[in-house]
Amino acid sequence: MNLATARRISTHVAVLAAFWAMASGGDFPPTGSAVFAVAVVASLLKGDRQISWLAPTLLVASAGSLVVLALAVAQGGLDLVVGAAIFAAVVTANRVLARKSAADDPLLFLTTLLMLAAGAALSGELAYGLGFAVYAFAVVLGLTFSHLELSADAAGVGIVRRNALASRELWLSLFGLAGVAMAGAGLFFVTFPRVNARWFGRHAGVGRDPLVGFSDQVRLGGYGALRSDPRPALRVTFPDKPDMPVDTDQRLDLLWRGQSLDRFDGKGWNVSPGQRDVGSPIPSNPARGSSVIHAHVEVLPVAQAASVFSPGEVLAVRLGQLDNQAEQATPHRAWRSAAGDATIAPRPAGYYAYDVWARPSSLAALAGKGRSYTELVQRMGLQLPEGIDPRIGQLAERWSSGLDDPLAIAVALRDHLKSEYRYTTELPGEQPDPLAHFLFERKEGHCEFFSTALAVLLRTRGIPAREVTGFSGGRRAPASDVFLVRAGDAHSWVEVFFPGVGWMPFDATPDAFKENEPSGLAAAWAAVADTFERSWRANVIDYDLMAQLRGLQSAWQAVTTAGERFRREPDGSSPEGGLPTLDPMRLAGLALLLIGVGFAFRAWRRRRNKGQEESPATAMWSRVELRARRKGAGRRPSETAREWVQRLQRDRSPVAAQVQELAALYEAARFGGIRWGADDEARIGTLLAAMK
Amino acid sequence: MSQVAVAGRAIPEEAAPKRSRFRPPRRLRVTREGWFYVLFTLGVGGAAVNTGNNMLYLLLGLQLACIVISGVLSEWALQGLSLRTEEAPDARVGEAASWHLVLGKRPGRIPSYTLVLTAMEGPARGAVAGVLRVAPGDSERVALRYTPTRRGRFTGRAMQVSTRFPFGLFEKSRDLEVEGPPQTFFVYPRRRPMPMPQGAPEQREGTTTRSEPGQGAELLHLREWRPEDGLRNVHWRKSAQAGRWVASVREREQEREIEVEVDLGAQEESESLEALELRLERASGEVEAALDAQRSVALRLGRQRLVDRGDSGGRRRLLRALAEAAPEFGGAP
């Protein structure tokens, strides 16, 4: 493969890999992907040819797209990060189409870096990592080939020596170099201090607001794609019970309650004034009891919360670490709000951790609790928006006809919703009455539609209910006791009030909202893919300052432990459990042996590599033989170059004259020690071209 | 760069570059693409620190790794290099010349790629030549092409070798001296085509003989005949007298020398010095025209007189003398 082809291939692979990394998050419009693919294919077909009208046309197209994208972002029709990603793709498509020579490649690579940066803000998926890895290899190769070609142009190096440069040795060296670049990237990634400075703009990268699931308020029909958001929101361990029961998918069957919302305005939920006010402090002494769950929870910045996420009724909370040193000076504490939600005040700015002792809820013994609600509970749990669709009340009547007990009504309504309605993450778009649209027309939606429907249906039956947001489940990280709850696990459900007991959870969302379990070969593949994905999540996405500190701590511990084990006791014996001590003579002998092996290996490699480097003459001759073979006039293994030429002349082969001249040039360079001049190389190029 | 004056004061010449003792062993320059790259890396770093997005940290890691790799590989490319040279050919003001060097790489494992040699001294100062690849234990011949702007005799061996390998984002360079003693470069005055010198016939016409063997008419001496003398040179009468073959050796016939004289007197004014340069260029043209016409030339430079003896180095000797000629201040302009 010649230098120009090697450069073209690696450049296009880098462009495609960067685009893949950017578009893998799913936010990039499919039309844009198709246009980009067409641009890359067109660029491959065009090669380095110059088309006079192309550059100005592309410039106008790029400027036009910038204006359109800016307008779309300004009007709120397009997310800023998605707009930036589209523009990066437009600029890259422009560069890849307009390129004329290797001199255009450095700027093309810069635009691909723009796409990667945009992809970093759009996606944290494993697919991004795969695209990134391919890109790292391709960009190292492409940049180096481009640089070599530019230097060859500048030095006026002929075609033969130029092509001889793109040898197998160079390819292998560059692959090794790319591997080193990847390792270096990994090293920087691990050691670069993790800071989340939040000087301005978006935090934590991905440009999606958590409009579905956990948030301060809920808007039905809003946009969002949280189910696929892989970033960890909570990291949970169970110190008293590391082997928490999980399903076959290593998933916990728990709801991590965050906060409640009591006011429904017909389109969404929010909180009545005063409900968030700090009430009573939550004790920090560990609670005891067989049913009590003790969880250590780390809340990662992606959750953007101040809640104490708990797998049941909060009994005690002991605050742990905050990632902001300045914040640690202020006295944070866990409080119960007026609405009964457990929260931390003052609100932490980023990461925080705590131990929580909670009692899981149980529906047993809820029957027959009656309907004697306090005024506060009625205010919190029975409010309905004005002008509510009368069909909703009628539906509640129909589904719970003949029932009077609140528990029986709640269970009946929940079961109807679970069984007769379908879960989907597809959004219906803006609707004038999203709840009525869900209940009577669409009959499918995500968790917020189900929880809203259950709460409103219960309220129409005079039973206090409210919306609750938090997270569902959590999966065990590979080979560890840590459970990761992802941002995509955000969930909402309903709490129903029972006199003498309190607010109890009811989840009306069909179980389909949990991922379907694959089976057979698909299951095996899903397990493998999931292992990679979890590993990616645990080691890359989830890698933060705490992980860095832990790594540093364990490294230091390993060093000190090793030091202890090698340290000899004053009497010459090794400490208990330590490694056996070696006397100095043996140690010196071992060192000498290792040095000897090293030298022997080096000598072997030198012998092996001797003479392997392909000279320009040899490379040229290989091409002569290859082209002659393609013409059916290949050299026989037993023939010398001279004999081969004589045979070709005898046979009146069409390539005889070229081979004769090339053989003379080859022998002069290979055995006569003569270096080819520019004229010779030009002549060789002409002769080789004539043999095509 | 140093310069040697033959007589009087030194020929005006461009100032030599000052070599600071604090000159770092390696110099680094960021290319245009490199600046874009560095700025983009800073941008990604700022975004990563601002958002805490690990994908941005990963990208930042790759970019920083590429910068480090670039530094290491360019260092390897610049290490283990040596420069040898053949004698620098004499050059002429205003005409392209080549200085051939041999760039070697010590045996090892890693080749050097995309090297650029730049002359730092001598008339070739600023001239560059590129080498695409030097294999370990091998060498490459490099032609440094330059066009001198001033006549004179120069010495110099300081070179700079630089590389942008592997990515073309940074250019690292180091000093490299040509092995052996400093090279001497002679730059002749500008070529000014002149007609064959005309002048006093008593000075420039007629022939004379010299006491050297040749093909003239006069007999120089007799000696024993040798087969390569041929029958034409047999001195028949003496052979008959001596009873053995005797050959006659005739004197060399030579035309009268053409004498070219240059007044080196000048004042310390630019016009006067320019006039001297013009005289030297004319004299150079006359010397060359005479030599091209197979005539002997005597060159008088101030008090110095040089004669072309018809040997192979005659032309070079005269032209080098013109190259080195220094003004004699205080004399007639």
Side-chain angles (χ1 to χ4, degrees):
Chain A
M1 185 183 298
N2 65 39
L3 195 59
T5 309
R7 191 242 317 160
R8 264 200 296 275
I9 289 175
S10 44
T11 304
H12 282 85
V13 169
V15 167
L16 286 172
F19 183 77
W20 164 260
M22 183 181 71
S24 62
D27 287 306
F28 198 82
T31 324
S33 301
V35 170
F36 192 85
V38 168
V40 173
V41 171
S43 161
L44 274 169
L45 295 175
K46 178 180 108 35
D48 289 345
R49 278 191 296 277
Q50 194 170 359
I51 300 171
S52 58
W53 53 266
L54 193 58
T57 310
L58 290 170
L59 191 67
V60 170
S62 299
S65 65
L66 178 63
V67 172
V68 170
L69 290 171
L71 284 174
V73 170
Q75 289 173 353
L78 186 67
D79 183 82
L80 177 64
V81 176
V82 177
I86 294 173
F87 187 64
V90 168
V91 173
T92 306
N94 179 341
R95 298 295 318 170
V96 82
L97 270 173
R99 63 200 291 282
K100 299 185 287 288
S101 67
D104 296 321
D105 286 343
L107 282 179
L108 173 62
F109 283 119
L110 279 174
T111 61
T112 57
L113 279 174
L114 269 177
M115 286 204 296
L116 271 187
L122 280 175
S123 165
E125 304 284 348
L126 181 60
Y128 178 90
L130 292 175
F132 181 87
V134 173
Y135 175 82
F137 275 85
V139 80
V140 167
L141 266 68
L143 269 175
T144 310
F145 283 136
S146 292
H147 172 66
L148 287 174
E149 202 175 339
L150 279 175
S151 301
D153 288 343
V157 173
I159 188 86
V160 176
R161 294 183 69 189
R162 182 185 295 224
N163 289 341
L165 202 63
S167 59
R168 195 169 61 94
E169 283 74 22
L170 185 69
W171 275 94
L172 291 177
S173 306
L174 290 180
F175 268 107
L177 184 64
V180 171
M182 281 292 285
L187 190 67
F188 274 112
F189 177 79
V190 170
T191 54
F192 202 96
R194 281 297 178 285
V195 189
N196 191 356
R198 304 186 216 200
W199 293 314
F200 54 85
R202 293 159 184 275
H203 304 157
V206 179
R208 293 188 210 110
D209 296 327
L211 292 180
V212 184
F214 185 77
S215 73
D216 282 348
Q217 58 177 352
V218 168
R219 305 304 301 167
L220 290 177
Y223 61 90
L226 270 199
R227 289 304 305 168
S228 60
D229 192 335
R231 294 172 300 158
L234 310 179
R235 191 187 293 124
V236 184
T237 52
F238 299 95
D240 299 341
K241 200 176 180 185
D243 53 341
M244 276 294 282
V246 289
D247 64 9
T248 52
D249 203 20
Q250 297 290 306
R251 196 195 298 270
L252 286 168
D253 186 21
L254 291 175
L255 290 175
W256 297 91
R257 187 191 188 281
Q259 62 190 3
S260 61
L261 304 154
D262 63 332
R263 292 198 67 78
F264 180 61
D265 62 6
K267 295 209 176 206
W269 291 89
N270 51 40
V271 184
S272 301
Q275 292 297 305
R276 288 270 162 82
D277 291 351
V278 169
S280 57
I282 299 173
S284 58
N285 295 329
R288 305 281 173 210
S290 59
S291 63
V292 172
I293 296 176
H294 172 202
H296 176 77
V297 181
E298 297 170 61
V299 183
L300 306 173
V302 67
Q304 298 181 33
S307 297
V308 174
F309 294 96
S310 135
E313 181 193 355
V314 176
L315 302 175
V317 175
R318 183 184 290 163
L319 284 186
Q321 199 165 3
L322 300 166
D323 74 346
N324 190 322
Q325 294 296 321
E327 283 192 339
Q328 294 189 29
T330 54
H332 283 75
R333 183 139 198 206
W335 301 83
R336 211 179 295 279
S337 71
D341 299 339
T343 182
I344 295 170
R347 185 188 175 98
Y351 170 96
Y352 58 97
Y354 55 85
D355 282 87
V356 63
W357 287 264
R359 185 167 33 232
S361 56
S362 164
L363 297 189
L366 290 180
K369 293 290 179 186
R371 294 191 180 220
S372 54
Y373 306 119
T374 63
E375 190 191 336
L376 175 67
V377 168
Q378 290 185 35
R379 202 169 56 238
M380 282 171 61
L382 291 177
Q383 172 267 340
L384 284 169
E386 289 178 12
I388 186 170
D389 191 321
R391 290 180 296 167
I392 296 174
Q394 293 161 9
L395 185 69
E397 285 284 347
R398 195 166 69 243
W399 281 354
S400 59
S401 64
L403 300 174
D404 187 50
D405 185 67
L407 176 65
I409 293 171
V411 169
L413 296 179
R414 181 195 67 184
D415 291 348
H416 272 283
L417 283 167
K418 270 198 170 205
S419 58
E420 293 169 23
Y421 287 70
R422 203 174 72 84
Y423 179 82
T424 178
T425 50
E426 297 289 322
L427 297 168
E430 286 294 329
Q431 297 294 332
D433 187 344
L435 182 57
H437 181 257
F438 165 70
L439 283 172
F440 304 113
E441 293 173 40
R442 193 163 183 247
K443 298 195 174 181
E444 59 180 25
H446 55 71
C447 57
E448 286 170 356
F449 285 97
F450 285 91
S451 57
T452 303
L454 180 58
V456 173
L457 287 167
L458 283 165
R459 286 182 177 191
T460 59
R461 291 299 316 269
I463 300 169
R466 64 185 182 183
E467 173 94 352
V468 176
T469 58
F471 295 93
S472 163
R475 267 188 188 173
R476 191 193 292 275
S480 79
D481 294 334
V482 177
F483 289 85
L484 293 177
V485 180
R486 300 178 305 142
D489 293 328
H491 190 43
S492 65
W493 58 96
V494 170
E495 281 182 345
V496 183
F497 189 81
F498 292 90
V501 179
W503 296 95
M504 300 303 290
F506 279 75
D507 190 0
T509 308
D511 290 338
F513 90 94
K514 298 168 185 172
E515 291 163 13
N516 289 329
E517 280 186 29
S519 59
L521 194 61
W525 167 246
V528 171
D530 193 54
T531 304
F532 280 114
E533 199 171 319
R534 277 186 285 178
S535 170
W536 173 256
R537 272 190 225 136
N539 298 314
V540 181
I541 299 175
D542 192 24
Y543 189 75
D544 58 6
L545 188 64
M546 297 308 297
Q548 277 186 313
L549 292 176
R550 275 197 298 273
L552 204 63
Q553 216 166 18
S554 52
W556 176 248
Q557 205 166 5
V559 169
T560 50
T561 309
E564 285 293 317
R565 287 165 75 88
F566 275 103
R567 189 165 57 85
R568 292 172 62 158
E569 295 294 315
D571 62 356
S573 65
S574 62
E576 195 181 343
L579 296 174
T581 53
L582 289 170
D583 65 71
M585 288 304 290
R586 280 189 182 180
L587 211 58
L590 187 66
L592 278 175
L593 183 70
L594 286 174
I595 291 169
V597 169
F599 270 110
F601 180 69
R602 192 174 162 189
W604 171 77
R605 281 196 55 173
R606 281 194 173 174
R607 235 188 353 265
R608 194 190 62 171
N609 294 339
K610 196 175 177 184
Q612 278 194 354
E613 207 148 331
E614 200 176 43
S615 69
T618 313
M620 181 275 277
W621 190 244
S622 302
R623 295 179 68 189
V624 171
E625 290 190 339
L626 179 70
R627 293 197 177 174
R629 198 161 53 240
R630 284 182 185 157
K631 291 277 180 189
R635 187 177 68 83
R636 291 171 188 156
S638 59
E639 279 179 333
T640 64
R642 201 170 294 277
E643 289 165 348
W644 183 30
V645 170
Q646 285 168 354
R647 179 168 62 81
L648 292 178
Q649 286 171 334
R650 257 197 329 272
D651 297 347
R652 298 190 176 171
S653 166
V655 294
Q658 289 92 343
V659 173
Q660 184 185 16
E661 201 172 336
L662 287 165
L665 283 162
Y666 165 70
E667 286 179 344
R670 182 79 177 82
F671 307 113
I674 292 168
R675 285 177 185 276
W676 291 331
D679 293 344
D680 294 331
E681 293 194 346
R683 181 68 186 149
I684 289 167
T686 311
L687 291 168
L688 282 172
M691 287 179 71
K692 266 189 175 175
Chain B
M1 178 179 63
S2 62
Q3 177 202 339
V4 181
V6 174
R9 299 194 24 199
I11 305 162
E13 180 54 73
E14 287 172 20
K18 287 187 180 170
R19 305 284 301 281
S20 166
R21 74 172 71 172
F22 300 112
R23 190 171 164 87
R26 299 283 185 275
R27 271 90 55 200
L28 193 69
R29 193 176 74 80
V30 185
T31 63
R32 189 177 72 105
E33 292 77 16
W35 276 118
F36 285 131
Y37 185 84
V38 168
L39 289 176
F40 191 77
T41 304
L42 289 175
V44 169
V49 168
N50 184 49
T51 60
N53 184 327
N54 271 350
M55 300 304 104
L56 287 176
Y57 275 111
L58 198 61
L59 183 57
L60 178 68
L62 178 66
Q63 291 184 265
L64 293 177
C66 283
I67 290 176
V68 172
I69 284 174
S70 189
V72 172
L73 288 189
S74 58
E75 182 58 36
W76 285 350
L78 293 180
Q79 279 180 355
L81 296 173
S82 62
L83 262 183
R84 286 175 286 117
T85 181
E86 304 156 3
E87 188 186 358
D90 293 354
R92 191 185 295 277
V93 172
E95 291 181 16
S98 292
W99 181 23
H100 290 277
L101 298 147
V102 177
L103 181 66
K105 173 92 176 171
R106 72 168 170 231
R109 210 175 281 177
I110 301 161
S112 289
Y113 286 98
T114 62
L115 298 170
V116 174
L117 280 173
T118 309
M120 303 299 284
E121 292 181 336
R125 197 174 97 200
V128 294
V131 180
L132 199 56
R133 181 177 185 272
V134 190
D138 202 353
S139 59
E140 285 286 324
R141 198 156 183 265
V142 191
L144 212 60
R145 292 189 173 80
Y146 64 101
T147 305
T149 54
R150 301 232 172 208
R151 70 178 176 87
R153 187 174 78 173
F154 307 88
T155 56
R157 59 177 173 180
M159 305 286 290
Q160 177 182 278
V161 59
S162 58
T163 183
R164 293 184 177 188
F165 189 74
F167 304 133
L169 303 174
F170 305 96
E171 183 180 291
K172 189 184 272 188
S173 57
R174 61 168 285 205
D175 293 331
L176 186 66
E177 289 200 335
V178 178
E179 288 174 359
Q183 280 293 305
T184 303
F185 299 82
F186 285 92
V187 178
Y188 305 154
R190 186 184 300 278
R191 187 189 297 271
R192 192 172 286 277
M194 297 295 286
M196 180 76 165
Q198 300 294 320
E202 67 276 12
Q203 269 191 327
R204 295 188 174 169
E205 287 181 4
T207 60
T208 183
T209 56
R210 300 172 65 168
S211 299
E212 292 171 12
Q215 296 299 320
E218 300 297 319
L219 185 68
L220 180 63
H221 60 79
L222 298 172
R223 62 164 169 77
E224 197 157 338
W225 181 85
R226 292 193 286 259
E228 61 265 26
D229 292 333
L231 290 176
R232 188 164 172 249
N233 290 324
V234 175
H235 197 289
W236 298 106
R237 194 155 56 91
K238 289 291 178 190
S239 299
Q241 286 173 354
R244 54 191 167 85
W245 295 108
V246 174
S248 60
V249 177
R250 278 168 289 180
E251 279 191 333
R252 180 181 166 196
E253 192 176 84
Q254 191 183 28
E255 290 179 53
R256 199 177 283 277
E257 290 168 347
I258 291 177
E259 188 163 302
V260 176
E261 187 173 353
V262 183
D263 181 4
L264 295 178
Q267 302 295 323
E268 286 187 75
E269 295 159 1
S270 59
E271 291 86 1
S272 176
L273 291 169
E274 279 171 19
L276 171 61
E277 289 302 314
L278 196 61
R279 292 200 293 278
L280 287 167
E281 287 171 9
R282 283 186 175 146
S284 167
E286 289 181 342
V287 166
E288 293 231 58
L291 291 173
D292 289 346
Q294 308 290 320
R295 299 289 296 272
S296 294
V297 177
L299 175 66
R300 188 180 288 280
L301 283 169
R303 290 182 291 276
Q304 188 185 19
R305 187 170 189 277
L306 296 160
V307 180
D308 165 37
R309 299 189 191 286
D311 55 351
S312 59
R315 179 189 295 253
R316 193 165 68 173
R317 200 164 52 247
L318 295 184
L319 290 172
R320 282 185 172 185
L322 285 168
E324 291 182 289
E328 292 173 355
F329 293 110

